[in-house]
Amino acid sequence: MIRIANGQGFWGDWLEAPVRLVEGGPLDYLTLDYLAEVTMSILQKQRKADPSLGYARDFPPLIARLAPSLRSKGIRVIANAGGVNPVACAREILRLAPGLKIAVVLGDDVMDKIDSLVAKGETLRNIDTGAALLSIRDRIQSANAYVGAFPMAEALKTGADIVLTGRCADAALALAPMIHEFGWKQDDWDLLAAGTTAGHIVECGAQATGGNCQFDWQTTPDFANIGFPIIEADTGGRMVITKHPGTGGRVTRATVTEQLVYEIGDPSRYLTPDVVVDFTTVHLTDDGPDRIAISGVRGTPRPELLKVSISYLYGWKCIGTLVYSAPDVLAKAQAADRMVRERLKALNLSFEKIHTEFFGINACHAHLAPPLAEPAEVQVKIGARDRDKAKLERFSREVIPLVLNGPPTATGYGEGRPAVREVVAYWPALIPRSAIQPTIEVIS
């Protein structure tokens, strides 16, 4: 039996969670999941500005902090914190924590293969819309295939303390040590399905231990010290989800089930690079306090196509915000909205989308029973989106003037003129598995 914990559900998750996992009890592996789809484009822009960047910058100092405990306890780390520049990330880790051995899994970045793939007849159509990739080719910012668990398991064979990847299937981070430890083969479909199921349950961190759980959330114990999830896995494919004793949160059928159905599409065909999992076969049973056992999972052969996460520049957006105070807060906020729109019309400015939201207005609805008092403040947010950046730059100059020449009592403008920001869109596509050839580079 091995114990695999996950201490990050996204880049920005609780920094203390990995430390508490390592220090709080026995572990064999610590996984850390940093990458969301849009994160890749952010990292790509960082690398373009500075070739030494492009990875989760929280990760190297975290490993430096954990290094003494990792060494003394023999805990190995598997993380996708490498983003679009895992080699640079590995070198920064070694600068901060010399003496570690790091195996980097490369091959997920397919930016330089897009044109050759299209030339060979791969349209890379958007999975959701069916549109061909050529419609956005000149605006693509990143393109990364989802690598599976077997390259990471190969990386573990090098004896590395840290296995570092770019884009990979989230659940593969936890599946890789099972493949490595138990010798599972590429056609052990039910075993791979069991490990993938457990990996999927823990991939979002504390969502499996009571965080963001809808069921009876008011009674969740000690949110401030919530424990992060741990998999106890055995060679036969039996999995138990648990957490360290004495930590907050809880592991129940409800918390595990909510995470199990998170972002899965067809529950009978959960597609991963390693196996297709039938979540309708999953059995969850109580195995003691804060312990849920997983059994009965069935899998079928892996798909021949791999998912590619492509991000591209859609256009630009700008959002201006003001706050109005009582009396007549809603009337003031609505007048401000009309004023901005009239001025934009006078400038002959139209946008792909313009939208206004009022926050705090429910208390203004006198027809509610019983009638509610007028709130002290209402916030108005006016946003616009368009492909033309110059139009958004002009829009950004039309909100702040209302402070002195619009309805009275405006505040909430301390940051000044609102910024024009990129709108990054997500383009999911499929490519042949043969187009991806992962490699491993050991850095020490």
Side-chain angles (χ1 to χ4, degrees), residues 9 12 32 41 45 67 90 132 148 154 186 242 270 279 285 308 322 324 341 344 350 366 370-371 409-410 420 444:
L32 301 165
S41 65
K45 287 191 291 183
E154 285 296 313
Q186 293 195 17
T242 186
Y270 180 62
F279 281 165
T285 55
V308 180
L322 290 173
Y324 288 93
R341 290 173 182 262
L344 293 172
S350 60
T409 71
V420 177
S444 59

Side-chain angles (χ1 to χ4, degrees), residues 101-119:
K101 184 176 182 179
I102 304 173
V104 177
V105 178
L106 303 170
D108 65 294
D109 190 340
V110 296
M111 272 286 284
D112 61 353
K113 297 182 179 181
I114 287 178
D115 291 333
S116 62
L117 285 167
V118 173

